[in-house]
Amino acid sequence: MKNTVVTFKKAKEMNEKLTMLTAYDYSTAQLIDNAGINGILVGDSLGMVCLGYEDTLSVTMEDMIHHTKAVSRGVKNTLVVADMPFMSYHTSVYDAVVNAGRLIKEGRAHAIKLEGGVEVYDKIDAVVKASIPVMGHIGLTPQSVNAFGGFKVQGKDEQAAKKLIEDAIAVEKAGAFAVVLEGVPSKLVALITEKLSIPTIGIGAGVDCDGQILVYQDMLGMFSDFTPKFVKKYETLGEKMKIAFETYIEEVKNGVFPAEEHGFKIDEEVIEKLY
Ligand code: KIV
């Protein structure tokens, strides 16, 4: 069944959990789509897990469009959400609408995601009015890493918790169809989820969200630079890949690979004429 923003709305109404993972390329998107997920986020986390930056701040619109195109070609039934990179919407409402439009037109995403609460109300509102579904993102928003002084859990004291509730309500009022809550205490997330009529998608936000999202390299154990506390490793593919790469190197060096079955045949007569 095709997943759309309506699927997300209905899931909240029916109290059914939503599932999302990130993806950045065609073949991974195809695998995740075949598994029957609700949504794929082409996250700006690609800056860290694919491009090797230490944060998401250097990711460009061109990076996002390039990877969103690849993911969109890989999915049949999954809702594709593309991240608006740092400074692609902060500068003006006009920039927000133009850049969101590029992710839809060129990247073929179905929706966009942008970070922030009350302060980005006007941007979410304008993008939604341009018929582009918006997923909000509040809490530990990685594009604010310098403002936060690091990747820190948000909403821990009363004032910060109240601000997060205001942010969540603003994102909903501005017209977002869902909101990501990242790095927020679980009990506060439960309260926010109860207050909102749009689904909350959690990452490091406990079990009481309406859905969950993880970075796929984290949950498969493929990325070792940094593993946040909230990640569950469903596989140790990084270790398995290393063994496979080492075996390949050894087999090539020893002449074990390629074997006869990996080659192509030619008539003996043809070969004889060449000597
Ligand atoms: O960029 C990303 O992958 C994200 C998720 C962690 C929600 O924003």
Side-chain angles (χ1 to χ4, degrees), residues 22 24 41 43-45 83 113 115 137 180 182 203 213 215:
T22 65
Y24 317 91
L41 171 70
D44 62 353
S45 49
D83 244 339
K113 175 169 83 58
E115 296 182 7
H137 185 168
V180 171
E182 177 168 359
I203 176 161
I213 182 164
V215 170

Side-chain angles (χ1 to χ4, degrees), residues 79 82 141 196 245:
L79 182 84
T141 44
L196 297 191
F245 297 147

Side-chain angles (χ1 to χ4, degrees), residues 96-186:
V97 176
V98 168
N99 286 321
R102 289 192 68 197
L103 290 169
I104 306 293
K105 266 185 107 150
E106 298 172 50
R108 303 293 305 171
H110 305 117
I112 63 97
K113 175 169 83 58
L114 56 81
E115 296 182 7
V118 174
E119 68 281 7
V120 291
Y121 181 97
D122 55 345
K123 275 99 183 193
I124 296 178
D125 177 59
V127 174
V128 170
K129 282 183 179 145
S131 296
I132 298 171
V134 175
M135 179 174 274
H137 185 168
I138 60 171
L140 198 182
T141 44
Q143 291 174 12
S144 303
V145 60
N146 290 325
F148 292 153
F151 293 104
K152 293 180 180 155
V153 173
Q154 298 296 303
K156 286 186 95 164
D157 62 40
E158 190 184 337
Q159 200 188 348
K162 279 186 178 154
K163 164 82 170 87
L164 263 187
I165 295 171
E166 278 167 25
D167 283 338
I169 292 170
V171 167
E172 171 168 317
K173 279 208 175 124
F177 74 95
V179 60
V180 171
L181 301 179
E182 177 168 359
V184 179
S186 307

